[in-house]
């Protein structure tokens, strides 16, 4: 999808003034926003950002929220009550709201100044997934406001990410089956990542393992591992490390060196080995999560097959009152 | 400790201009900073903040870092290499650095424009713990820069927090023994909280359970629980819920209502029941983490006794190269 017209309108409405972007959603949609928040925090000098689970944004709303704020909201169904409430509240504060959903009839659309109704499914090209749309919007927004020196490299990356991911998915498939076979009886996984990828350590834990497989899981930031968490390491504990490209790769390497000595159950998903280095070094770290989402989805699928636990089975979500 | 002279100097040096505060540390020290970051994000209109594990701050340094930034760093030993490196880097960028440590000879002190050498131990009054010092510094900084309407209530809270915590510790002791006895054979805990308290859901997981007890653990934000994580709920899975006072209490209540129906192993640590409501409603949410740290330390101690696993035993930290 072409994000540029929306970026232009956002900037125009406030005479060029955007003070912060809030990324507000729940669960998997919030995960998809992590990289955009990370991009603003890391690359912008004039705009700040915040990453909020929707109900916290609603109950403890930042005082900064104002007409110069942009609030990006995403909900697959488009009717997640907390996210719709956050959008309404943001609008009431005069902020500009950008809503993303799969559902053309979503309530979220009623509260969105700008909206993206995305497609979904195995056949969809990843650059049209909500994660990529939000990242594209964010990078273009920062570029238009203050200039992003690597905008051309980023655009080239967006142009080839579908191909990179499709190749990586093929490449990883045999490994996902080995993984599933080896780990089918495990009940607890630690998932590690750093930088822009950390969101997917969180996402793979809470969505793929906890929600879809009813398995225990915990994300750990690679930089935090040596400051507490690593004391659980032993030969029986499984670790999945999403080893990204970019500036924080050294943090993941350090984790892997340690695990190589003291753990036996370690699965490495390496963005470089999977071909993400086809994208320019100046920007490829921001594409890590797009690659990891697709590749880790293959892992969860393989696990679901071996465990005979369908990815769509829920016992509470949408079934009981909560 | 009196934070006001440091606040005055910070403000004076830049002629009143502070654009953001970065909170940078590792593990338990990073946990102690969560509430300060949350305060700035929630209450300030003119200052923003960032909460970083030190090695990520070093490798993917925010472009905003500048002479109008304040970087708060904390390391118990004062020699955590990543934190010392972050302090050096911040100084080189012209930012003002505030260092907190227990160690008078710490390298961190060499890189700190302002420093607090705190005391530590069971007898120390909590308002002199690093978490409280950083919060006090933060609240006073925001108040001096832009006015914080509840500064008097906050100061009154600081004046009585020692008493509140001491009473809560006494009150909770029998319960910690029951908890330890009931859960002594569990191997995995989920720890939930929201708002200013979330840092301690993270901290109790990575420091108290993983590091000090070699038990599996995962923090979950109460607001995120219903968007994935809750699918693991069953009668065998233990949950610890730190139910705070303040604006996000409704999020914790919703979790507890659900767990009341579908879980059997639920430990509630309720700040209200433990007397934190002695502090004014306008500010007591910011004192939740100070209370929870002390009270949860009693829980971990009771668990360590029953499990015969001393809190100070490490197998890797400070023992092997990493």
């Amino acid at each position: 999808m072409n994000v540029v017209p929306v970026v232009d309108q956002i900037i125009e409405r406030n005479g060029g003034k955007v003070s912060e972007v809030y990324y507000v959603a729940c669960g998997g949609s919030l995960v998809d926003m992590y990289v955009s928040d990370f991009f603003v925090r890391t690359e912008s000098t004039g705009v700040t950002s915040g990453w909020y689970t929707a109900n916290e944004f609603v109950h403890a709303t930042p005082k900064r929220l104002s007409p110069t704020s942009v609030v990006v909201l995403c909900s697959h169904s488009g009717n997640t009550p907390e996210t719709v409430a956050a959008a309404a509240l943001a609008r009431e504060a005069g902020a500009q709201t950008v809503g993303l959903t799969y559902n053309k009839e979503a309530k979220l659309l009623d509260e969105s100044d700008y909206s993206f109704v995305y497609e979904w499914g195995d056949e969809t090209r990843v650059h049209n997934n909500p994660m990529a749309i939000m990242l594209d919007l964010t990078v273009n927004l920062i570029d238009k406001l203050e200039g992003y020196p690597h905008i051309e490299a980023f655009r080239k990356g967006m142009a080839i990410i579908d191909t990179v991911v499709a190749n990586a998915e093929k490449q990883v498939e045999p490994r996902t089956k080995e993984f599933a076979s080896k780990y089918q009886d495990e009940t607890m996984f630690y998932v590690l990542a750093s930088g822009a990828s950390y969101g997917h350590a969180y996402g793979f834990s809470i969505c793929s393992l906890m929600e879809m497989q009813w398995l225990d899981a915990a994300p750990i930031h690679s930089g935090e591992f040596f400051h507490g968490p690593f004391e659980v390491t032993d030969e029986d504990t499984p670790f999945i490390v999403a080893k990204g490209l970019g500036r924080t790769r050294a943090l993941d390497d350090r984790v892997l060196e340690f695990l190589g000595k003291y753990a036996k159950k370690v699965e490495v998903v390496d963005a470089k080995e999977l071909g993400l280095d086809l994208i320019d070094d100046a920007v490829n770290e921001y594409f890590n999560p797009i690659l990891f989402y697709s590749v880790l989805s293959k892992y969860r699928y393989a696990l679901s097959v071996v465990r005979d636990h369908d990815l769509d089975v829920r016992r509470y979500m949408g079934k009981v009152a909560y």
Side-chain angles (χ1 to χ4, degrees), chain A:
Chain A
M1 294 188 185
N2 186 3
V3 299
V4 174
V6 171
V7 167
D8 287 341
Q9 287 174 69
I10 288 172
I11 293 176
E12 204 187 329
R13 190 159 116 185
N14 280 322
K17 174 80 183 144
V18 174
S19 50
E20 61 272 310
V21 185
Y22 289 113
Y23 298 93
V24 181
C26 302
S29 295
L30 184 62
V31 168
D32 280 353
M33 296 171 153
Y34 187 89
V35 56
S36 292
D37 173 65
F38 181 83
F39 181 88
V40 178
R41 283 195 280 126
T42 310
E43 299 286 358
S44 172
T45 54
V47 180
T48 62
S49 70
W51 185 74
Y52 281 87
T53 188
N55 220 11
E56 181 143 309
F57 190 80
V58 168
H59 282 79
T61 310
K63 274 197 192 152
R64 286 179 74 89
L65 182 68
S66 79
T68 60
S69 308
V70 174
V71 183
V72 180
L73 306 116
C74 183
S75 161
H76 195 60
S77 73
N79 294 322
T80 308
E82 299 96 310
T83 308
V84 175
L89 178 154
R91 257 197 158 173
E92 206 163 305
Q96 300 191 71
T97 55
V98 182
L100 294 95
T101 176
Y102 169 62
N103 172 12
K104 288 190 181 79
E105 315 290 322
K107 287 181 198 159
L108 180 58
L109 297 175
D110 300 334
E111 303 293 348
S112 301
D113 294 320
Y114 315 100
S115 55
F116 294 93
V117 180
Y118 55 80
E119 291 170 21
W120 194 252
D122 286 343
E123 307 306 315
T124 311
R125 290 174 303 168
V126 290
H127 79 263
N128 278 336
N129 281 355
M131 180 172 25
I133 297 170
M134 290 188 281
L135 178 62
D136 202 15
L137 179 87
T138 299
V139 174
N140 277 283
L141 180 70
I142 298 304
D143 179 56
K144 287 242 171 172
L145 284 167
E146 56 192 61
Y148 173 51
H150 305 298
I151 186 72
E152 284 313 318
F154 177 80
R155 288 195 178 129
K156 279 184 195 156
M158 271 291 174
I160 65 166
I161 188 65
D162 287 343
T163 309
V164 171
V165 167
N167 288 340
E169 285 181 341
K170 251 179 255 159
Q171 190 183 332
V172 89
E173 212 182 328
R175 230 186 299 165
T176 65
K177 288 180 181 158
E178 280 167 45
F179 169 87
S181 156
K182 186 172 171 193
Y183 294 107
Q184 59 184 302
D185 296 323
E186 298 295 340
T187 58
M188 164 79 201
F189 291 85
Y190 287 104
V191 190
L192 287 103
S194 63
S197 309
Y198 176 72
H200 279 293
Y202 175 63
F204 194 69
S205 297
I206 68 154
C207 296
S208 300
L209 296 173
M210 296 178 75
E211 176 181 340
M212 297 181 181
Q213 291 295 296
W214 308 354
L215 288 167
D216 291 326
I220 305 171
H221 192 290
S222 300
E224 285 285 278
F225 185 60
F226 300 100
H227 302 281
F230 75 151
E231 285 289 333
V232 299
T233 306
D234 60 27
E235 298 190 349
D236 295 321
T237 304
F239 295 91
I240 300 167
V241 182
K243 182 178 174 181
L245 276 168
R247 286 170 292 179
T248 63
R249 187 171 172 86
L251 279 62
D252 307 328
D253 272 329
R254 188 177 168 207
V255 166
L256 287 170
E257 200 186 327
F258 178 87
L259 292 178
K261 284 184 204 160
Y262 302 105
K264 285 263 185 263
K265 298 177 176 173
V266 183
E267 182 71 17
V268 187
V269 185
D270 182 350
K272 184 179 165 78
E273 213 181 299
L274 292 170
L276 194 68
D277 57 354
L278 274 175
I279 296 177
D280 194 305
D281 277 351
V283 296
N284 57 23
E285 68 186 76
Y286 299 113
F287 290 90
N288 285 321
I290 299 179
L291 176 76
F292 285 142
Y293 174 73
S294 295
V295 165
L296 287 169
S297 294
K298 297 290 172 192
Y299 274 90
R300 79 181 177 202
Y301 175 73
L303 202 57
S304 78
V305 171
V306 170
R307 297 183 71 239
D308 198 18
H309 184 119
D310 195 283
L311 292 169
D312 294 326
V313 177
R314 302 289 180 276
R315 44 184 159 180
Y316 307 115
M317 193 178 275
K319 296 211 159 166
V320 304
Y322 50 86

